Amino acid sequence: MGRLAEVTDLERTAMLLAWDQEVCMPRAAAPEHGELRATIGRLAHERFVDDRVAELLEAAEPRDETEADVVRVARRELDKARRVPGDLVAEITRAAAGARAAWLQARDADDFSRFAPFLERNVELRRELSACFPEAEHPYDPLLDDFEPGMRTADARAALERLRDGLVPLVASAADDDAGSDFGHGAPLPEAGQRALVRTVLGALGVDDDHWRLDEAAHPFSSGITPTDIRITTRYHETDLESLFSTLHEFGHGLYERQVEPGLWRTPLGHGASAAWHESQSRLWENMVGRSPGFWRWCLPHAQAALPDYFGGRTWQDVHREVNAVRRTLIRVSADEVTYCLHVVVRFELELALIEGELAVAGLPNAWNERMRDYLGVEVPDDRRGVLQDVHWSEGLFGYFPTYAIGNVIAGQLWERIGEELPDADERFAAGDFGSLREWLGEHVHRHGRRFMPDELLQRVVGGPLDPGPYLAYLERKLQASAQLMA
Amino acid sequence: MGRLAEVTDLERTAMLLAWDQEVCMPRAAAPEHGELRATIGRLAHERFVDDRVAELLEAAEPRDETEADVVRVARRELDKARRVPGDLVAEITRAAAGARAAWLQARDADDFSRFAPFLERNVELRRELSACFPEAEHPYDPLLDDFEPGMRTADARAALERLRDGLVPLVASAADDDAGSDFGHGAPLPEAGQRALVRTVLGALGVDDDHWRLDEAAHPFSSGITPTDIRITTRYHETDLESLFSTLHEFGHGLYERQVEPGLWRTPLGHGASAAWHESQSRLWENMVGRSPGFWRWCLPHAQAALPDYFGGRTWQDVHREVNAVRRTLIRVSADEVTYCLHVVVRFELELALIEGELAVAGLPNAWNERMRDYLGVEVPDDRRGVLQDVHWSEGLFGYFPTYAIGNVIAGQLWERIGEELPDADERFAAGDFGSLREWLGEHVHRHGRRFMPDELLQRVVGGPLDPGPYLAYLERKLQASAQLMA
C-alpha cells in the first residue's frame, strides 16, 4: 500500500506541474518544465510497473473492503501497463511531441498535409499498442479501455449510433441558426462583471476558498490536485457567456474529485470512475443545471446586477431560450447542447476507421467534411475549422472522443433518476439551493471514486446499462418547452 | 549523470511544491500537500544516497571540466548524506514538525516554556547528527558545512567577532532612534502605488515576464524553479516601504539562479555556491544598490509618480537619509543595514553555546536579553519580540544564522571590487542603468553555480579570504556621507 501511495503522490505532483504550466509558469520555461514533468511521470510509471509491486499485489491479503478494491483495481492497471514495452511507451511520447508541434503549424497555415505524416505515425503506434492485447475483440478496445475501463468498442458504437440516429432529425427540425442573434443587442460583457457573476454562482454552488481556486487559462480545465485542493480555470471573452458555462463545466469535474471518500485519496481509487463518468458530471452542471429554468429564475437578478447592459430588461424566459438555442456550427467546443454529440460522433467514426485501417489519413479531410454535411448540415470551409480543430489526435489520443458523448448519455440517465429522487430540483435551483443535488451526487456517485467499474457504477445508480434513450428524451422535452416559452 | 539529473528534477519539483504551498494552495489542503512534499523529498534523498550512485561516482571518468566538477561535488555531498542514518534523518524531520507547531503556540502566548522541551530535543538531535562526523574539529562544523561547504566554526567565529567589535561602537555613535520618524508625514502608502513602483523598479533591473514572476507571500522568499523560471514574492504594508526593499532582496537571490550557466541546471552545480553567497547577492541589491544615492536619484521621480502623498516634495537626499537611518530595534527582519548583523551575532553566539553544551535551553531567554542590551543597547520587553521571534530553531536549523552575516561580509568585499571595476556604478544607477552591474555579477559570480567551494570562489573574485574589513568600511563611509548630506 505504501508503494501505491507513493505512485499516487507522484501522479498528483505531475498534475500540479501540469496545472502550474498552464496557469503560473513564465512561458520561456516550457522546455525545463517539460523535463521536470517527464521525470515525475517516468518515476510514477517505473515505481508502479516494477516486479516488486506485482509480487506485493500477488501476495496481498486485503484486510477490508477498501484494500480489496485497491488490490483489484491496481492489479488490473498493472497487468495492462506491464504488457506494453517501455520502448513503445517512449516512442509514443516522442511521436506525440513532434505531432503536436506539427499540428499547431498545420492549423495556423490551414495545411493538413503538414500534419498528415505525423498523424500517420500516431495511428501506426496506437495500432502497435493495441497489438499488445491480442485477445481484444477489436483493435480499438484496448485504446477505449484506457479511458473507459471495461467498455468494448461494440458498446460505444451502439450508443453513438443510437445518438446519431436520434439527433440528426432533431437538429434538422429544431436548428434556428439565427436564433437569439439579437440577444443582448450586441452589448458587451465586461470582464469585471463576468468575474463577479462567476464568483456569485460558484458561491451558491458551495465553492469555498479553503478548498478551491479559480484561475484563467487559455483552454479551461480542472485539476483535483488533492480532494482538499480543487483548481478550476475559465476564460473571459467580452462577446459571450463562455466564462459562466465553462466554470459550471469545470465545477462539475472538480466537485467529483472533491467528494471522493477522503480515505481513498492516496490509492488508485481516489479519482472519478472513468473519463465518461467525469464528463457526465461536468455536462450535468453545465447543461442540465446551468441551462434549466430554475437556474435562470435564481441567476437572472445576479446576472443583471453584474452585467446590466447585457441582461437588463430580459426575462428568465428570454435567457433560457437564448442559452438553449440550437445552431449548426463548425466548432465542437462552442457547440450547443443538442448539436454537440454529433460533432463527437464524427470524430469517433473517423478515428475508429483509422485504427481499423479502413480509412487512410490522406482521406480524412474529405471524410470529415462529408460527415459534417450529412449529420449537421454544414459545409466546412477550411481544415482549420474542420479536421484540424482539435488537439487530441496530435497527442495520440484515440479512444477519448467517444467518452464525451457517453458522458452526456450517462448524465441523461442520472438526470432521469434525479428527477425521481429530487422531483422538486428545479424549484430548489430557483431558490438558489444546489446543495441537495450536490449531496445526492456525492452519496450516489462521487464518494465511490474508482471502486466500481463504470458499468457496475451505472447499474448501481440507475439500475440498468448504458442507454441513450433518457438523454434523447431530455433534449426533446427541452426543445418542446423552449417552443412553448416562445409561443 | 542521468540519475543525478533525476535527483535535481525531484529537488526542483519539491521547490515548486513549496512555492505553491505559500502562494497558490487553498489553505485547507496543507496536510495533503505535506504528503506530496514528503514523498518527493524522500525520493530525492533515496535516489541520491543509494549504492548504485556511489558505485557510478566511484567509477566515473569525467569527459570534461563540467563533468569533473559534477563528480567532485556529488561525491562530497553523497559522502556526507550517507554517513547520517536514515532513522536519524526521519527523527529530525518529525521533531521539527512538532517543534514548529509548539513554537507558533509559544510565540502567540509569549510563553517560552511551552517551546523549551521541543527546542531541547532539536538541539539534542543536531548534536547526534554532528556526532556522525567524529573527525570534525568542532561539533558545530558539520552543521555549518550544510549551508557553507568547507567553512569551519573557527572561521565563522572570527568573522562575526570582528563584525561585532566593529559594529557595536558604530551603532552606539550613529543610532538616532527617532530619525526620520516624520518622513512622509505619516502619509499612507497605497498598495496600488507600491505595486506600480515595484513593477517599474523590476523592469529597470531587467526582469521580464517570460522568465520571472512576482507574487505575494506572508514571508517573502524567492524560488529559482529552473534557470528560466524565477519566482519572487513580496508583501505590501501601507505603513512602510518593505515591499520595495524585500523585492530588491529577493531579486538578488533570483538573479543569481537566473544567471547560472544554463548547462548546469540538471546537475548538483545548478544553484548558488552557498547560503552566504546567496545572501551576499540579495543584500547587495537591497542595500548597496537600493540604498545608494544613484538609485534614489533615478528612482525618486518614479516613486513620486506612484506614491505622491509619501514622496511628494522630497529630495533624493531626504530619501537617502531616511532609508539609511540607524535605529536600535528588537526585530531582526526589519532591522536597518547597520544594526542587522548584530542581531545575527546574538543568534550565532547563542546557538553555538547550545550545540557546545555551554548553555542550557532554560537559560536562553536571559542570555538573549543580555546580549541585546550589550550589543544593541535595547531592553527586550517580552520573549515574543525576543528569543521567540525567528522560526529557524524550531525547524532545527542550526548553522544557518551566521550565513546572514557572512553574506553581508562577502557583499562588502564584492562591493569594493565592483568599485574598482565599475567606478561609475553610482552614476549608472542614477541613469537607470543596472545592466552593467547585473552582467558583472553574472560573469564573475553567478555563472559558476556551485563549481567552486565558497572560499575558492571568493579567492577568484576578490583575490583574498573572508574579511569583514571592507563591509565595515563601507558602512562607515555611508554614515559619514549621510551626516554630510544632513549638514
Side-chain angles (χ1 to χ4, degrees):
Chain A
M1 297 293 140
R3 176 63 79 90
L4 293 177
E6 179 188 289
V7 170
T8 66
D9 288 344
L10 285 163
E11 288 167 350
R12 287 176 182 277
T13 299
M15 287 175 62
L16 181 66
L17 286 170
W19 176 87
D20 185 85
Q21 193 161 350
E22 298 302 320
V23 177
C24 293
M25 183 192 79
R27 64 183 179 176
E32 289 78 13
H33 276 252
E35 299 278 6
L36 301 185
R37 287 180 66 178
T39 293
I40 299 297
R42 183 175 52 70
L43 275 172
H45 181 76
E46 278 179 21
R47 307 286 288 171
F48 182 53
V49 300
D50 85 9
D51 294 340
R52 183 83 190 113
V53 177
E55 287 162 24
L56 287 170
L57 285 174
E58 197 58 46
E61 291 180 13
R63 289 165 303 181
D64 57 29
E65 203 178 335
T66 296
E67 286 196 4
D69 290 340
V70 167
V71 168
R72 186 172 31 76
V73 170
R75 275 186 190 153
R76 186 179 195 280
E77 287 181 1
L78 185 60
D79 176 59
K80 226 185 146 181
R82 282 165 64 95
R83 285 171 64 185
V84 184
D87 289 352
L88 180 55
V89 174
E91 181 56 25
I92 283 174
T93 308
R94 207 170 303 126
R100 166 116 200 221
W103 166 73
L104 282 170
Q105 289 177 2
R107 190 189 57 173
D108 291 348
D110 188 29
D111 179 0
F112 181 75
S113 69
R114 295 200 199 174
F115 178 46
F118 295 91
L119 180 55
E120 271 164 21
R121 181 69 184 141
N122 277 353
V123 170
E124 192 177 290
L125 287 166
R126 288 287 150 169
R127 286 166 58 96
E128 280 183 39
L129 179 71
S130 182
C132 301
F133 304 89
E135 76 284 11
E137 192 176 283
H138 187 286
Y140 189 81
D141 280 2
L143 310 181
L144 180 59
D145 185 272
D146 278 350
F147 307 104
E148 227 34 48
M151 180 170 282
R152 295 169 315 135
T153 304
D155 307 326
R157 198 197 306 253
L160 270 73
E161 277 177 2
R162 171 91 189 277
L163 266 185
R164 182 193 64 196
D165 297 344
L167 289 175
V168 167
L170 208 60
V171 169
S173 70
D176 178 358
D177 301 336
D178 301 322
S181 54
D182 65 340
F183 188 90
H185 311 288
L189 292 146
E191 196 176 305
Q194 293 191 48
R195 287 178 187 274
L197 179 58
V198 161
R199 264 198 308 276
T200 300
V201 169
L202 286 177
L205 296 177
V207 164
D208 67 278
D209 289 344
D210 280 358
H211 299 90
W212 296 74
R213 49 181 297 144
L214 172 69
D215 294 275
E216 268 178 276
H219 301 281
F221 69 104
S222 82
S223 205
I225 308 291
T226 71
T228 48
D229 178 2
I230 309 294
R231 305 183 181 196
I232 63 178
T233 61
T234 189
R235 60 181 167 189
Y236 302 93
H237 296 147
E238 302 223 322
T239 51
D240 61 44
L241 280 173
E242 185 189 333
S243 66
L244 176 63
F245 290 102
S246 86
T247 297
L248 286 165
H249 183 99
E250 303 307 337
F251 165 77
H253 284 303
L255 184 66
Y256 198 168
E257 298 286 311
R258 175 85 187 95
Q259 297 200 124
V260 171
E261 192 186 316
L264 303 183
W265 88 276
R266 292 181 81 214
T267 77
L269 311 181
H271 291 291
S274 71
W277 269 100
H278 242 297
E279 193 70 7
S280 77
Q281 300 306 293
S282 55
R283 298 293 282 180
L284 190 146
W285 286 97
E286 176 188 357
N287 292 329
M288 275 90 172
V289 177
R291 298 179 203 271
S292 67
F295 179 84
W296 282 103
R297 282 158 67 199
W298 166 76
C299 190
L300 184 61
H302 301 293
Q304 286 171 332
L307 297 161
D309 291 344
Y310 188 83
F311 285 104
R314 296 285 154 176
T315 64
W316 70 260
Q317 290 90 340
D318 294 335
V319 183
H320 183 267
R321 191 164 57 239
E322 162 62 14
V323 300
N324 285 293
V326 182
R327 300 189 186 93
R328 288 169 293 204
T329 56
L330 292 165
I331 307 296
R332 176 182 62 85
V333 296
S334 54
D336 61 73
E337 194 181 2
V338 180
T339 56
Y340 183 81
C341 285
L342 289 176
H343 290 269
V344 175
V345 168
V346 168
R347 288 150 179 80
F348 170 67
E349 293 183 356
L350 295 175
E351 71 177 21
L352 200 55
L354 288 171
I355 296 295
E356 285 171 335
E358 299 293 319
L359 174 68
V361 163
L364 194 57
N366 271 341
W368 177 286
N369 297 348
E370 273 171 27
R371 278 181 171 74
M372 287 298 286
R373 189 181 305 125
D374 291 349
Y375 302 164
L376 276 153
V378 296
E379 292 298 327
V380 178
D382 49 48
D383 291 337
R384 211 162 45 78
R385 284 173 285 180
V387 69
L388 287 173
Q389 70 183 262
D390 291 307
V391 70
H392 303 59
W393 291 336
S394 80
E395 292 181 336
L397 285 176
F398 296 89
Y400 196 97
F401 275 126
T403 71
Y404 289 134
I406 295 164
N408 284 294
V409 168
I410 294 175
Q413 292 181 265
L414 288 175
W415 201 240
E416 186 178 57
R417 187 92 190 95
I418 290 162
E420 293 156 15
E421 300 213 0
L422 296 172
D424 60 345
D426 202 67
E427 285 303 315
R428 291 181 193 233
F429 301 161
D433 165 15
F434 303 96
S436 356
L437 176 59
R438 206 173 58 229
E439 284 159 26
W440 191 92
L441 291 169
E443 172 63 22
H444 292 85
V445 179
H446 301 169
R447 69 185 172 95
H448 301 304
R450 294 166 63 90
R451 262 186 210 283
F452 306 110
M453 293 289 277
D455 59 344
E456 286 180 90
L457 182 60
L458 194 61
Q459 186 69 43
R460 278 180 75 98
V461 186
V462 307
L466 193 69
D467 175 11
Y471 184 60
L472 288 167
Y474 151 82
L475 290 179
E476 278 165 25
R477 276 200 311 278
K478 185 182 264 193
L479 290 174
Q480 283 164 8
S482 271
Q484 283 167 6
L485 285 174
M486 263 203 280
Chain B
M1 297 293 141
R3 176 63 77 90
L4 293 177
E6 179 188 288
V7 169
T8 66
D9 288 345
L10 284 163
E11 288 167 352
R12 288 178 181 275
T13 299
M15 287 175 62
L16 181 65
L17 285 170
W19 176 87
D20 185 85
Q21 193 161 349
E22 297 302 319
V23 177
C24 293
M25 183 192 79
R27 64 182 179 177
E32 289 77 12
H33 276 252
E35 299 277 8
L36 302 186
R37 287 180 65 178
T39 294
I40 300 298
R42 184 175 51 71
L43 276 172
H45 181 75
E46 278 179 21
R47 307 285 288 173
F48 182 54
V49 300
D50 86 9
D51 294 341
R52 182 83 190 114
V53 177
E55 286 162 25
L56 287 170
L57 285 175
E58 198 58 45
E61 291 179 13
R63 287 164 303 180
D64 55 30
E65 204 179 334
T66 296
E67 285 195 6
D69 290 340
V70 167
V71 168
R72 185 172 32 76
V73 169
R75 275 186 189 153
R76 186 179 196 279
E77 287 180 1
L78 185 61
D79 175 61
K80 225 186 146 180
R82 281 165 65 96
R83 286 171 63 184
V84 184
D87 289 351
L88 180 56
V89 174
E91 180 57 24
I92 284 175
T93 309
R94 209 171 301 127
R100 165 115 201 222
W103 166 73
L104 282 169
Q105 289 177 2
R107 191 189 57 172
D108 291 348
D110 189 29
D111 180 359
F112 181 75
S113 68
R114 295 199 198 174
F115 178 46
F118 294 90
L119 179 55
E120 272 165 18
R121 181 71 183 138
N122 277 354
V123 171
E124 195 177 289
L125 287 166
R126 288 286 151 168
R127 286 166 58 97
E128 281 183 39
L129 179 71
S130 182
C132 301
F133 304 87
E135 76 284 11
E137 192 178 281
H138 188 286
Y140 189 82
D141 280 2
L143 310 181
L144 180 59
D145 185 89
D146 278 349
F147 306 104
E148 225 38 46
M151 180 171 282
R152 294 168 316 133
T153 304
D155 307 326
R157 199 197 304 254
L160 271 73
E161 275 176 5
R162 170 91 190 278
L163 265 185
R164 182 193 63 196
D165 297 344
L167 289 174
V168 167
L170 208 60
V171 169
S173 70
D176 177 358
D177 301 335
D178 301 320
S181 54
D182 64 340
F183 188 89
H185 311 287
L189 292 145
E191 196 177 305
Q194 293 191 48
R195 287 179 187 276
L197 178 57
V198 161
R199 262 198 310 277
T200 300
V201 170
L202 285 178
L205 295 178
V207 164
D208 67 278
D209 289 345
D210 280 359
H211 299 89
W212 296 74
R213 47 181 298 146
L214 171 70
D215 295 275
E216 267 178 275
H219 301 281
F221 68 104
S222 81
S223 208
I225 309 292
T226 69
T228 48
D229 177 3
I230 308 296
R231 304 182 182 197
I232 64 178
T233 62
T234 190
R235 59 182 169 189
Y236 302 92
H237 296 148
E238 301 221 324
T239 52
D240 62 44
L241 281 173
E242 186 190 333
S243 65
L244 175 63
F245 289 103
S246 86
T247 297
L248 287 166
H249 183 99
E250 303 307 337
F251 165 77
H253 284 302
L255 183 66
Y256 199 168
E257 298 286 312
R258 174 84 187 96
Q259 298 201 124
V260 171
E261 191 187 314
L264 302 183
W265 88 276
R266 293 181 78 214
T267 77
L269 310 181
H271 292 291
S274 72
W277 269 100
H278 242 297
E279 193 70 7
S280 76
Q281 299 307 292
S282 56
R283 298 292 283 181
L284 190 147
W285 286 97
E286 176 189 357
N287 292 329
M288 275 89 171
V289 178
R291 299 180 202 272
S292 67
F295 179 84
W296 282 103
R297 281 158 68 198
W298 166 76
C299 189
L300 185 61
H302 302 292
Q304 286 172 330
L307 297 160
D309 291 345
Y310 189 83
F311 285 104
R314 297 284 153 176
T315 63
W316 71 260
Q317 290 90 339
D318 294 335
V319 183
H320 183 267
R321 192 165 55 239
E322 162 63 15
V323 301
N324 286 294
V326 182
R327 300 190 185 94
R328 288 169 293 205
T329 56
L330 294 164
I331 307 297
R332 176 183 60 85
V333 296
S334 54
D336 60 73
E337 193 180 4
V338 180
T339 57
Y340 183 82
C341 285
L342 289 175
H343 291 268
V344 175
V345 169
V346 169
R347 289 151 178 79
F348 170 66
E349 292 183 356
L350 295 175
E351 72 177 22
L352 200 55
L354 288 170
I355 295 296
E356 285 170 336
E358 299 292 318
L359 174 67
V361 164
L364 193 58
N366 271 341
W368 178 287
N369 298 349
E370 273 171 28
R371 277 181 173 73
M372 287 298 285
R373 189 180 308 124
D374 291 349
Y375 301 164
L376 276 153
V378 296
E379 292 297 326
V380 178
D382 50 47
D383 291 338
R384 212 161 44 78
R385 285 174 285 180
V387 70
L388 288 172
Q389 71 183 260
D390 290 307
V391 70
H392 304 58
W393 290 337
S394 79
E395 292 181 338
L397 286 176
F398 297 89
Y400 196 98
F401 276 125
T403 70
Y404 288 135
I406 295 163
N408 284 293
V409 169
I410 294 174
Q413 293 181 263
L414 288 176
W415 201 241
E416 187 178 55
R417 187 93 190 96
I418 290 162
E420 292 155 15
E421 300 214 359
L422 297 172
D424 60 345
D426 202 67
E427 284 304 314
R428 290 181 192 231
F429 302 161
D433 165 15
F434 303 96
S436 357
L437 176 58
R438 206 172 58 229
E439 282 158 29
W440 191 92
L441 292 168
E443 172 64 22
H444 292 85
V445 179
H446 300 168
R447 69 185 172 94
H448 301 304
R450 295 166 61 90
R451 261 185 211 282
F452 305 110
M453 292 289 277
D455 59 344
E456 286 179 90
L457 183 60
L458 194 61
Q459 187 69 44
R460 278 181 75 99
V461 186
V462 306
L466 193 67
D467 175 10
Y471 184 60
L472 288 168
Y474 150 83
L475 290 179
E476 276 164 28
R477 274 199 314 278
K478 185 183 265 193
L479 291 173
Q480 283 163 7
S482 273
Q484 284 167 4
L485 285 174
M486 264 201 283

